[in-house]
Amino acid sequence: MAGSGLSILLTNLLLKEWIARPRPSSIMHLVNARGFSFPSGHAMNSLFLFSVFYLVYKPYIPQKLQFIFKICCVLFPLLIGISRVIVGVHYPSDVIGGFFTSHCWYCHLLYVFA
């Protein structure tokens, strides 16, 4: 699993260099961000982290709390992605692209380890 986490970081860096989309410039940034914009690393890494977290810890969560656990694992990455657009360092398409790439990587992980 640790190798999968490192591989998604590498995938993000390679995609950013390959696509080389500049960050939004017309919007006042609330935080400093360097490098290219697409895909959003925060969106990509948070979705992957919470997806793996859900996969690993779901069997240990009591049945009564599983719905809340699932909602949290979906809601946290979503809020992280939205926050990147709000602070002005990503376009919405960057976040959607990060989520999509992360989901594809997670599905690949499930296929490989199944």
Side-chain angles (χ1 to χ4, degrees), residues 25-99:
S25 59
S26 62
I27 303 171
M28 185 175 161
H29 297 258
L30 297 177
V31 296
N32 291 328
R34 294 173 299 181
F36 295 116
S37 182
F38 186 89
S40 169
H42 280 82
M44 199 168 162
N45 294 329
S46 66
L47 183 62
F48 187 77
L49 173 72
F50 280 99
S51 297
V52 171
F53 185 69
Y54 179 78
L55 178 70
V56 170
Y57 288 105
K58 184 183 179 223
Y60 304 106
I61 303 296
Q63 188 66 33
K64 292 181 179 181
L65 298 175
Q66 290 234 350
F67 180 73
I68 294 171
F69 181 63
K70 186 183 293 186
I71 293 297
C72 289
C73 286
V74 169
L75 191 60
F76 288 153
L78 187 62
L79 291 173
I80 290 169
I82 291 169
S83 74
R84 301 305 288 170
V85 175
I86 289 172
V87 299
V89 293
H90 283 293
Y91 297 104
S93 58
D94 299 338
V95 173
I96 293 168
F99 285 154

Side-chain angles (χ1 to χ4, degrees), residues 6-32:
L6 291 175
S7 65
I8 200 161
L9 291 172
L10 181 62
T11 300
N12 182 268
L13 292 173
L14 290 174
L15 283 173
K16 280 182 182 282
E17 291 298 321
W18 181 52
I19 296 170
R21 181 179 188 182
R23 292 189 181 273
S25 59
S26 62
I27 303 171
M28 185 175 161
H29 297 258
L30 297 177
V31 296
N32 291 328

